[in-house]
Every structure is written in C-alpha cells, then in structure tokens.
Amino acid sequence: MNRERIFIMIYQYLPVDRIHYGVNVVDQEIIHEIQQLKASKVLMVTTNSMLKTSPYENLVQLLHANQIETYEAILKQHVPGNVLMQNIQEITRFNPDLIISCGGGSPIDAGKILSFVLAENIQSEEEIYPYSVNVAEKPLNMSHYVPHIAIPTTLSAAEFTSIAGITSSKNRAKYKFSHLNMTPSFVFLDPVFTQDTPDWLWASTGMRAVDHAVETLYSPFPNPVNTGLALQALKKLYKYLPLSKKNPSHLEYRLECQMGAWLSLFSVVNIKLGLSHSIGHQLGSTYDIPHGMTSAIMLPHVMTFLLPRTYEAQAQIPEALGETDPYKNVKEKAEMSPTLIKNLILDLDIPHQLRDFNVTKESLTEVVRHILMDIQGEENTVVLETNDLNKEIFSLLEKAW
C-alpha cells in the first residue's frame, strides 16, 4: 500500500520575554524591567565609541540614580577572544546579576557569550572554544546564565538571535556558539541610541539586515512565518534606509529601519542563512571588514550565483518592492533581484569591492579554506550541491574583488 509522505514542521520561538520599541523607550521603561528582575549589579558591555555618547551616559546615570552598580566591559569589532576575556577575573569578582549590552553586533554577541562564560566559571580564552559549534567538545548547557538586555545601535539584528561569534586571537578564525538561552531576554529598539552611529555603519548594517532577509527567502529550510516577515523587512529597508541616510536626524525613519532589521531575522533557529553569511563571517574575521560591508560586497554576487536554484524565492523580491511588471515570468522577475539589491548598495554609497579593503588576490586561497569550513558547519544543501565548491567560491571572491 502506497502512503503519501507527510512532512511535519515545527516552529521554535526565541525565548525573548519582551521587545520595547519607540523613541525614548529606554529612558521610560528600562528601570522597570531591571526592577522586575531584582537586579542590582549590571555588567555593561559596550565599545569605546559608545562611552562618549549622551544616550549611553544618561543611561549609566539613570542606573546609578536607582542604586544599581555597574561595571563596564569594552569590546572591539568581531569580538576578539583575548579582548573578551582580558578582565574576566574582575568581572567574576563583580558577580553581575544582569548584563546590558549597548552597541552593534559585537558587544551584543559579547554579552551573549559572557552570560555562559560567567555561568561556567570560564577564566581563559582557550577554555571557551571547546563549547563552540566548530569544535563541539563540550555541551553548551546554559542551565544557568545571567539575563541579558540588549540595546542595539546598528541594524545587524544580533539581538534577535541565539548565536554569537568570537574571533580567535591565535588563528583569526571565527568560532560560532549557539544556544536558545543565549538570546537576550529583553530588547530595546530606541532610535535615540542610534543618533551617534556613523552613517557608514548605519547604512552597512542596514545591508546586513537586507542580507538576512534575502537569505531567509532562499533558505534550504523555509517556513511561511519567516518568509512573510522577510518580505516585509525588505519593503521597510528598501524604503527607509535611503530616507534615513538623507535625513539622519529623523528618528521615525531610523525606527522603521530598526523594525525592518527585527523582521529580517525574526527567529533564526527556524531557518539557515546562506552563502553570503558564510563568506561574510570569514572575510570579516580574516580582513577585519565590518559584517555589513561584507554583505554589500558579496550579496549581489551570491544572489546571481544561486539564481538557477532559487528562481521562485528571488522572484518574490521585486514583487515585494513594487519594482516589477506583472507580465514577467518567474525567471525574469528573479533575474531582476540582484540588480535591485546592487542599486540599493550604490544608492547608500557603501564600499562594495574587496579591493576597497586592501584585500590582495594572493590571499584569497587561504580565506576560501575557512569559508568552506563555515559552509560545511551550516550544512546548507542549496550550496553543498555545487560541483567543485572550492573553485566556485574562489571565483565568487574574484568577482567581488
């Protein structure tokens, strides 16, 4: 007897308790959340550039005015493991009962990792990597962890994932960590905190959010929730990124971009992001290129490369953006998508070639090896079906050079 095969799907929500969004929402709501948590000692994870901004200074003053102690951990781009752990003994003695990360993807990732570092009483960089997805020698249980509030200042959307990365101080490779309980418990989307974000960083992380949305659409494991939200994300980002660039003091435009970033990566545990992200992880850690810039460099090339396998998915992009003729067929619509994204990058005036970051062609062979390791770890069937993947990745990088 022939039986029709039945596919059973499961959707996993992230363990985010609340997301606050709006102008000045941090000032109005964060003390209430901290009091609900009964926290009194806060580890502030941020960057040197954030320390000098008025919103951050006001936040620290607000915490101190409410008898909340703080200790500041200062991070750098791509979360170097040695920088993450340089003051771990002092942090351990401080014994925080809450982490607040404030900044872009790097301090938010660092906040996630410090949550389990403190729970596991890890005291050195070398002790961290056995818990990574890459090495997988020790289970990342996260049965005990320090709760985490994230206040993003960019559009990287790191606050909406259960994933974080560290760059090894020894080999410059990026190591990935993943656990549901690494997700920040509370997120505050407040455009006031984005006012001091450099224009190039705002625009490039906006392209990172576009990258999230596009690769969600042709994920090897799509689902209707993420797909629908990714299309809405593209509509918002395509409209409001250029507007926010032209009108940087317009907080409502910036908030719309923040909403777009949220929708672009609503629940990453239900999808697998693709080739642009795998390449971007390793380009970023190897050449110290900001992740948003790696998206601007690679995404249109990757979209073109994957077109024959993703026509249906990419055909949705021009339709969502209102940039297509209804009489075009699926293939014709899909073929418009890489050009639309490339034109957005040009409109935002973002560097979009590897040579813009002093990358030499001679160095590409080594980074391809790291990229292939990343791709294998992601188990992305859309990409792994490629014949001679090594050659194709090298060719992609050459086109992006």
Side-chain angles (χ1 to χ4, degrees):
M1 177 180 177
N2 291 328
R3 293 185 179 180
E4 183 179 348
R5 189 178 179 187
I6 299 174
F7 290 92
I8 299 174
M9 309 299 287
I10 298 173
Y11 192 85
Q12 172 72 58
Y13 283 94
L14 289 171
V16 180
D17 289 336
R18 273 179 291 282
I19 296 169
H20 300 263
Y21 54 96
V23 178
N24 287 313
V25 71
V26 170
D27 187 54
Q28 294 173 29
E29 299 291 341
I30 198 166
I31 294 299
H32 174 71
E33 289 291 14
I34 294 172
Q35 289 171 342
Q36 292 289 103
L37 290 166
K38 296 182 170 58
S40 61
K41 302 180 78 173
V42 176
L43 174 63
M44 305 292 293
V45 186
T46 189
T47 60
N48 275 316
S49 59
M50 279 304 301
L51 295 177
K52 305 166 188 173
T53 66
S54 294
Y56 180 83
E57 289 178 344
N58 294 339
L59 171 59
V60 173
Q61 290 173 12
L62 180 64
L63 297 177
H64 291 170
N66 284 271
Q67 291 73 54
I68 298 166
E69 294 181 64
T70 60
Y71 180 98
E72 288 173 334
I74 311 303
L75 267 296
K76 293 183 178 180
Q77 182 176 272
H78 300 305
V79 196
N82 57 334
V83 177
L84 178 79
M85 299 298 289
Q86 65 185 356
N87 295 321
I88 193 61
Q89 292 182 351
E90 290 180 28
I91 294 170
T92 301
R93 283 195 294 271
F94 179 68
N95 193 26
D97 49 19
L98 175 65
I99 293 170
I100 296 180
S101 61
C102 186
S106 292
I108 292 172
D109 271 11
K112 298 175 190 177
I113 293 168
L114 284 169
S115 181
F116 90 76
V117 163
L118 290 167
E120 297 287 343
N121 195 30
I122 294 170
Q123 292 294 304
S124 70
E125 179 186 356
E126 292 71 24
E127 292 177 66
I128 301 176
Y129 299 120
Y131 294 91
S132 70
V133 173
N134 314 66
V135 180
E137 289 178 355
K138 291 186 177 181
L140 187 56
N141 294 317
M142 294 289 286
S143 53
H144 302 287
Y145 58 94
V146 182
H148 180 184
I149 293 175
I151 306 173
T153 62
T154 71
L155 301 170
S156 69
E159 62 275 11
F160 297 116
T161 78
S162 55
I163 299 167
I166 298 179
T167 301
S168 168
S169 62
K170 290 187 176 180
N171 63 10
R172 298 287 294 170
K174 194 78 174 258
Y175 288 81
K176 175 182 170 182
F177 300 80
S178 180
H179 194 284
L180 280 177
N181 289 339
M182 284 176 60
T183 313
S185 304
F186 306 92
V187 177
F188 283 77
L189 299 178
D190 189 336
V192 170
F193 277 75
T194 74
Q195 292 177 100
D196 295 289
T197 303
D199 290 344
W200 68 265
L201 184 57
W202 180 256
S204 65
T205 56
M207 279 310 306
R208 189 65 169 175
V210 169
D211 199 344
H212 296 323
V214 169
E215 296 218 312
T216 292
L217 295 177
Y218 54 63
S219 167
F221 304 104
N223 65 73
V225 177
N226 284 79
T227 296
L229 294 176
L231 290 168
Q232 288 299 312
L234 284 174
K235 289 176 70 172
K236 284 186 178 292
L237 293 165
Y238 189 74
K239 177 179 180 179
Y240 288 105
L241 272 175
L243 286 173
S244 68
K245 178 178 173 61
K246 293 168 188 169
N247 306 275
S249 62
H250 198 301
L251 294 181
E252 291 297 334
Y253 289 166
R254 297 177 83 84
L255 181 60
E256 288 290 342
C257 291
Q258 289 183 295
M259 300 296 285
W262 175 15
L263 297 173
S264 78
L265 205 61
F266 188 75
S267 184
V268 74
V269 293
N270 296 283
I271 57 162
K272 280 189 178 293
L273 296 174
L275 183 56
S276 178
H277 279 75
S278 291
I279 294 174
H281 292 158
Q282 302 308 328
L283 289 180
S285 59
T286 302
Y287 300 112
D288 203 28
I289 304 173
H291 281 314
M293 297 295 187
T294 66
S295 293
I297 292 167
M298 294 309 310
L299 182 58
H301 296 290
V302 169
M303 292 172 70
T304 300
F305 172 64
L306 293 177
L307 264 176
R309 284 167 271 185
T310 61
Y311 282 131
E312 292 284 346
Q314 293 203 48
Q316 299 173 91
I317 295 172
E319 289 182 341
L321 302 181
E323 297 281 3
T324 188
D325 183 334
Y327 296 102
K328 289 182 181 291
N329 61 36
V330 167
K331 183 174 181 290
E332 290 170 331
K333 291 176 183 176
E335 287 172 343
M336 295 175 64
S337 295
T339 301
L340 286 171
I341 299 304
K342 182 64 174 288
N343 288 342
L344 176 60
I345 294 165
L346 294 174
D347 191 22
L348 294 172
D349 195 24
I350 306 172
H352 54 277
Q353 295 174 307
L354 284 171
R355 71 185 75 178
D356 295 330
F357 297 91
N358 298 317
V359 175
T360 64
K361 279 191 175 183
E362 293 73 26
S363 68
L364 296 180
T365 301
E366 177 63 17
V367 77
V368 167
R369 188 173 63 82
H370 289 163
I371 291 168
L372 291 173
M373 179 183 72
D374 201 301
I375 293 169
Q376 294 291 339
E378 291 294 334
E379 298 178 351
N380 190 325
T381 53
V382 174
V383 179
L384 290 175
E385 290 170 357
T386 304
N387 292 325
D388 200 348
L389 189 56
N390 190 319
K391 180 180 177 182
E392 293 292 353
I393 298 300
F394 190 86
S395 175
L396 268 178
L397 294 180
E398 279 194 315
K399 290 174 182 175
W401 190 81

